[in-house]
């Protein structure tokens, strides 16, 4: 129930405006968001790189409503890809299609993301297209296929274990050598398209993770679920999966202890680092995943 509440709140415009402008809101969000500026996110990436952990940088913002906003969002990515190259960071970028105009002009979104992938290609980097609500799954998968046909190995997307269709998408994309990040899924979906029970999502995640690990395509296992991570480690220890056939991916500010432990064990680990003034929907989805975070954040707020 709390999950639905926070997901509903993530779309509340009034509370969003109030929170993004308030000093308290910014302070609370700093647990999961690496700052408001490009310089701050680059510093955060440098810091995780020093611990042997890779990064993927996300300029927060979604559901833009004009071409000018979409192009302004894209300009930040141009800056990020260039800075990653210039500073030699072990990092790439993650981008949301709704931030690039997908909701009102899919051709514009594709043109913009194609420009990013071309830039990443020239810089020897990679663009990950995040996955949003299920109304965009097919369009996102299809766009990724078109871009990957042009720039193989430079673009990949995200698949969500809560969707029934994902098993087919895994086969479809790995069949073309396209890199996938597997996550459980963070949006509100109906039982018509997604498993309603968490136990079924977790079971599907494990099945798909093992399939990806054996696919020959380098993929990202994005989860903080220790039971699932342990299952993957057991596969490696048993010699059924090569340690370098995949990487673990986690969110900035979540289970830092586990991130470091896995990196120390020689696993590839990548942290998803979001930044920017439009942090509100992202932050609310993190609370939806773990409502206990509200108590944790409130305690820290009054500590200093
Ligand atoms: P689960 O929710 O079962 O949590 C397992 C355990 O992890 C919890 O018991 C807790 O200990 C810890 N944990 C999980 N979330 C936490 C939080 N917010 N704060 C503190 N502890 C937490 N989704 C999507 O729909 N599209 C996308 O593109 C992406 N991209 C993405 C990238 C990366 C790198 C990650 C890690 C995740 C995503 N997600 C995503 C989000 C994903 O779908 C999912 O909502 C979260 O990862 C939470 O699910 P877990 O797999 O961690 O398991």
């Amino acid at each position: 129930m709390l999950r639905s509440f926070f997901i509903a709140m993530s779309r509340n415009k009034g509370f969003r405006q109030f929170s993004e402008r308030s000093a308290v809101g910014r302070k609370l969000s700093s647990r999961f968001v690496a700052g408001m500026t490009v310089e701050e996110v680059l510093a955060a990436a440098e810091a995780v790189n020093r611990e042997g952990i890779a990064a993927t940088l996300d300029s927060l913002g979604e559901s833009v409503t004009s071409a000018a906003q979409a192009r302004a969002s894209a300009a930040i990515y141009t800056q990020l890809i260039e800075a990653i190259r210039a500073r030699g960071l072990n990092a790439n970028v993650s981008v949301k299609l709704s931030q690039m105009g997908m909701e009102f002009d899919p051709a514009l979104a594709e043109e913009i993301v194609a420009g990013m992938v071309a830039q990443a290609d020239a810089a020897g980097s990679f663009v990950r297209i995040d996955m949003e609500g299920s109304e965009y799954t097919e369009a996102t998968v299809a766009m990724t296929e078109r871009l990957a046909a042009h720039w193989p190995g430079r673009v990949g997307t995200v698949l969500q274990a809560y969707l029934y269709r994902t098993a087919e998408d895994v086969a479809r994309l790995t069949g073309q050598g396209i890199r996938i990040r597997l996550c459980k899924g963070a949006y509100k979906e109906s039982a018509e398209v997604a498993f309603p029970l968490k136990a079924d999502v977790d079971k599907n995640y494990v099945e798909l993770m093992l399939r990806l690990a054996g696919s020959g395509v380098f993929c990202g296992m994005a989860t903080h679920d220790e039971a699932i991570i342990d299952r993957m480690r057991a596969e490696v220890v048993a010699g059924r999966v090569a340690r370098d056939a995949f990487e673990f991916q986690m969110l900035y500010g979540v289970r830092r202890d586990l991130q470091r432990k896995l990196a120390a064990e020689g696993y590839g680990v990548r942290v998803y680092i979001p930044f920017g003034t439009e942090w509100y929907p992202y932050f609310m989805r993190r609370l939806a995943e773990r409502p206990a975070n509200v108590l944790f954040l409130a305690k820290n707020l009054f500590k200093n």
Side-chain angles (χ1 to χ4, degrees), residues 13 17 47 51 105 109 139-140 147 161 168 173 215 249 270 283:
K13 288 196 180 124
Q17 271 186 355
E51 297 187 290
D105 189 348
T140 305
L147 296 172
E168 279 173 30
L173 293 182
S215 71
Q249 298 189 354
R270 185 177 299 275
F283 178 68

Side-chain angles (χ1 to χ4, degrees), residues 1 18 33 53 60 67-68 89 99-100 108 121 130 135 147 151 154 156 173 178 183 192 210 222 233 282-283 293 303:
M1 215 185 75
F18 167 77
V33 175
I53 295 174
L60 289 167
L89 293 176
Q99 196 186 2
M100 302 301 147
L108 171 70
D121 183 44
D130 283 346
E135 62 277 35
L147 296 172
W151 292 282
R154 296 300 182 196
L173 293 182
I178 297 175
C183 69
E192 273 159 35
L210 297 178
R233 290 163 77 221
Y282 176 86
F283 178 68
N293 277 333
K303 254 189 200 158

